[in-house]
Amino acid sequence: MKKRTIVFLSVLALLLWACAKSTPEEMASLAAKGYYDHLIHGEFEQFLEGMDVREGMSEEDYRSQLLDTYSQFMAQQEQSHRGIREVRIVSAKTDTIQKYTNVFLTLCFGDSTNEEIVVPMVERNGSWRMR
């Protein structure tokens, strides 16, 4: 009887562990939401860190221009919609041929309007980055 209980509990634990494992879509969605949370909180450096930067794009001038662009974008959203108050995950869909995941997010504005955006995400060395 003890052996059966041990085997049953082992199988149950294995099943719970397998079910608790996150899918690539869930991981990409959480990463995208996290990057956009940084953006709406004015943490532009952290948002930029989420970009899948290729060689030749890491020059300081380019980086500075991107940070200025993010700041201007957020100022424009503040003026147009009373800012972005929240980011929500809608869904995600993986393109196995192109090897990226489209994450669908909803930006919830201060004026009660919403906008759905698509954030292409790619996995690089175990980390999800915005394309």
Side-chain angles (χ1 to χ4, degrees), residues 27-71:
M27 292 169 30
S29 296
L30 290 173
K33 182 186 180 324
Y35 295 136
Y36 272 82
D37 282 341
H38 285 304
L39 179 68
I40 67 173
H41 290 103
E43 300 164 348
F44 306 130
E45 290 277 345
Q46 291 84 348
F47 181 76
L48 182 57
E49 292 300 318
M51 300 295 284
D52 184 38
V53 180
R54 303 284 182 181
E55 261 187 61
M57 297 181 77
S58 60
E59 297 173 14
E60 193 56 41
D61 286 341
Y62 181 70
R63 184 178 181 81
S64 176
Q65 289 173 5
L66 285 175
L67 294 172
D68 288 343
T69 300
Y70 302 151
S71 177

Side-chain angles (χ1 to χ4, degrees), residues 21-22 26 28 32 39 43 45 49 56 58 62 64 68 75 78 85 99 106 110-111 120 128:
K21 194 173 182 183
S22 297
E26 291 170 331
L39 179 68
E43 300 164 348
E45 290 277 345
E49 292 300 318
S58 60
Y62 181 70
S64 176
D68 288 343
E78 186 64 41
R85 301 296 180 230
K99 298 186 179 179
T106 297
D111 63 1
W128 285 93

Side-chain angles (χ1 to χ4, degrees), residues 1 4-5 11 13 17 23 34 37 46 52 57 76-80 83 85 88 90 102 108 110 114 117 121 125 127:
M1 187 86 159
R4 277 189 183 170
T5 304
V11 170
W17 176 79
T23 66
D37 282 341
Q46 291 84 348
D52 184 38
M57 297 181 77
Q76 179 186 23
Q77 298 311 307
E78 186 64 41
Q79 183 180 15
S80 300
R85 301 296 180 230
R88 295 181 188 154
V90 176
N102 278 327
C108 304
N114 296 321
I117 63 170
M121 300 290 288
N125 302 320
S127 180

Side-chain angles (χ1 to χ4, degrees), residues 64-125:
S64 176
Q65 289 173 5
L66 285 175
L67 294 172
D68 288 343
T69 300
Y70 302 151
S71 177
Q72 291 169 4
F73 171 76
M74 291 306 294
Q76 179 186 23
Q77 298 311 307
E78 186 64 41
Q79 183 180 15
S80 300
H81 299 287
R82 291 189 286 194
I84 303 170
R85 301 296 180 230
E86 183 183 5
V87 178
R88 295 181 188 154
I89 298 169
V90 176
S91 65
K93 178 88 172 146
T94 298
D95 185 325
T96 54
I97 295 172
Q98 297 290 329
K99 298 186 179 179
Y100 67 90
T101 298
N102 278 327
V103 175
F104 298 86
L105 299 175
T106 297
L107 303 180
C108 304
F109 295 99
D111 63 1
S112 299
T113 60
N114 296 321
E115 180 179 344
E116 189 171 297
I117 63 170
V118 180
V119 183
M121 300 290 288
V122 63
E123 186 178 13
R124 300 266 188 245
N125 302 320

